[in-house]
């Protein structure tokens, strides 16, 4: 089975500051990695995903994430945040093969609050 | 827009009553999922479906059942609602080309069990 740990439940930052949201995963098989964002009172939408190839993945709204296989991490970063980035962010994994029915396993989420 | 709707969007019910939540999609995707979201727990998979009449349990399936008699509809039923089932419920679809595909989520149903 796989698991996802988001190391910070809440991250407060000031506007225009850089931010990193940390995600570690555990799995005995290969996984795909995802970051989803949930704005207040909305459903989840994809920020970015890592499937293969370059370990640095760029997503929407200026976010990027780096896959580190040796550290089993997939941390999300943004060099300069805006008030509108205030949301909850979820890291998730899916198993690459083997009858998983494409299920996702989610972390518990990190609430990013951007203050003026 | 993945064409996913959920109904009702909000519901208040009493302990012991049955509740059915509906997820409807317009794209005829094979894979559909029900999650619940609770503070401090993230999203947890309740049940999922990989085709009409093909369903299976997720990690928090106790107290829930599902049905899928048509491709476009995936129903989640709480046979006898309890206060611990107060939550926000999300439906999602996978377009079905593989685990690398993005899951698309509905807007959610907020359920309060009194």
């Amino acid at each position: 089975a796989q698991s996802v740990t988001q190391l910070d439940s809440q991250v407060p930052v000031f506007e225009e500051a850089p931010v990193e949201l940390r995600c570690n995963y555990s799995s005995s098989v290969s996984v795909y990695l995802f970051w989803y964002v949930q704005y207040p009172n909305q459903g989840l939408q994809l920020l970015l995903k890592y499937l293969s190839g370059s370990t640095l993945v760029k997503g929407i709204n200026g976010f990027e994430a780096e896959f580190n296989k040796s550290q089993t991490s997939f941390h999300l970063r943004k060099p300069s945040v805006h008030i509108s980035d205030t949301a909850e962010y979820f890291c998730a994994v899916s198993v690459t093969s083997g009858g998983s029915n494409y299920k996702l396993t989610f972390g518990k989420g990190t609430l990013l609050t951007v203050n003026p | 827009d993945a064409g996913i709707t959920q109904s009702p969007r909000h519901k208040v019910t009493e302990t012991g009553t049955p509740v059915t939540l509906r997820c409807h999609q317009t794209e005829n995707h094979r894979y559909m999922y029900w999650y619940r979201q609770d503070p401090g727990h993230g999203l947890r998979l309740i049940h999922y479906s990989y085709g009409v009449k093909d369903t299976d349990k997720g990690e928090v399936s106790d107290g829930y059942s599902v049905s899928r008699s048509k491709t476009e509809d995936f129903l989640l039923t709480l046979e006898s609602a309890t206060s611990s089932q107060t939550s926000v419920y999300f439906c999602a679809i996978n377009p079905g080309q593989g685990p690398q595909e993005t899951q698309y989520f509905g807007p959610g149903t907020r359920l309060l069990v009194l």
Side-chain angles (χ1 to χ4, degrees):
Chain A
Q2 46 285 344
S3 66
V4 177
T5 302
Q6 292 185 240
L7 297 159
D8 305 293
S9 60
Q10 298 186 52
V11 174
V13 295
F14 288 109
E15 195 173 17
E16 298 183 6
V19 70
E20 178 179 80
L21 307 184
R22 298 179 293 167
C23 172
N24 286 95
Y25 68 93
S26 174
S27 178
S28 57
V29 296
S30 296
V31 295
Y32 297 120
L33 296 152
F34 302 79
W35 275 100
Y36 284 83
V37 60
Q38 183 182 33
Y39 298 105
N41 299 312
Q42 295 186 25
L44 279 72
Q45 59 182 278
L46 183 75
L47 262 184
L48 49 79
K49 60 184 177 182
Y50 174 77
L51 303 182
S52 64
S54 173
T55 57
L56 184 63
V57 180
K58 294 189 183 298
I60 62 172
N61 300 338
F63 284 92
E64 62 182 31
E66 186 154 21
F67 169 57
N68 187 319
K69 188 174 182 179
S70 62
Q71 297 187 7
T72 60
S73 68
F74 190 51
H75 300 333
L76 181 70
R77 302 185 183 103
K78 186 170 182 178
S80 176
V81 294
H82 302 288
I83 298 285
S84 59
D85 292 322
T86 294
E88 191 153 24
Y89 293 78
F90 293 94
C91 184
V93 301
S94 67
V95 174
T96 61
S97 62
S100 71
N101 285 309
Y102 313 160
K103 292 181 289 184
L104 283 175
T105 300
F106 284 88
K108 294 184 178 182
T110 297
L111 179 61
L112 173 65
T113 303
V114 181
N115 298 301
Chain B
D1 184 358
I4 305 169
T5 57
Q6 293 184 231
S7 58
R9 294 292 314 280
H10 302 271
K11 186 168 182 67
V12 180
T13 191
E14 294 188 350
T15 298
T17 60
V19 176
T20 295
L21 309 182
R22 179 180 182 239
C23 177
H24 178 80
Q25 57 147 329
T26 59
E27 303 292 329
N28 290 322
H29 295 304
R30 181 179 170 194
Y31 295 89
M32 299 184 75
Y33 310 83
W34 275 109
Y35 296 90
R36 60 177 290 173
Q37 182 180 20
D38 304 288
H41 291 277
L43 276 81
R44 293 179 291 175
L45 183 64
I46 306 171
H47 281 279
Y48 62 97
S49 171
Y50 44 96
V52 173
K53 299 192 190 307
D54 291 322
T55 65
D56 206 348
K57 296 178 180 181
E59 62 179 297
V60 290
S61 59
D62 286 350
Y64 301 94
S65 62
V66 290
S67 66
R68 192 165 178 204
S69 58
K70 300 185 292 184
T71 301
E72 59 265 35
D73 288 326
F74 191 31
L75 304 181
L76 177 71
T77 297
L78 291 66
E79 301 289 349
S80 177
T82 67
S83 58
S84 65
Q85 293 176 311
T86 291
S87 186
V88 182
Y89 292 86
F90 287 99
C91 173
I93 63 96
N94 180 304
Q97 302 305 311
Q100 75 279 8
E101 288 287 342
T102 300
Q103 279 194 17
Y104 295 91
F105 288 79
T109 294
R110 196 171 292 270
L111 177 67
L112 174 61
V113 183
L114 299 174

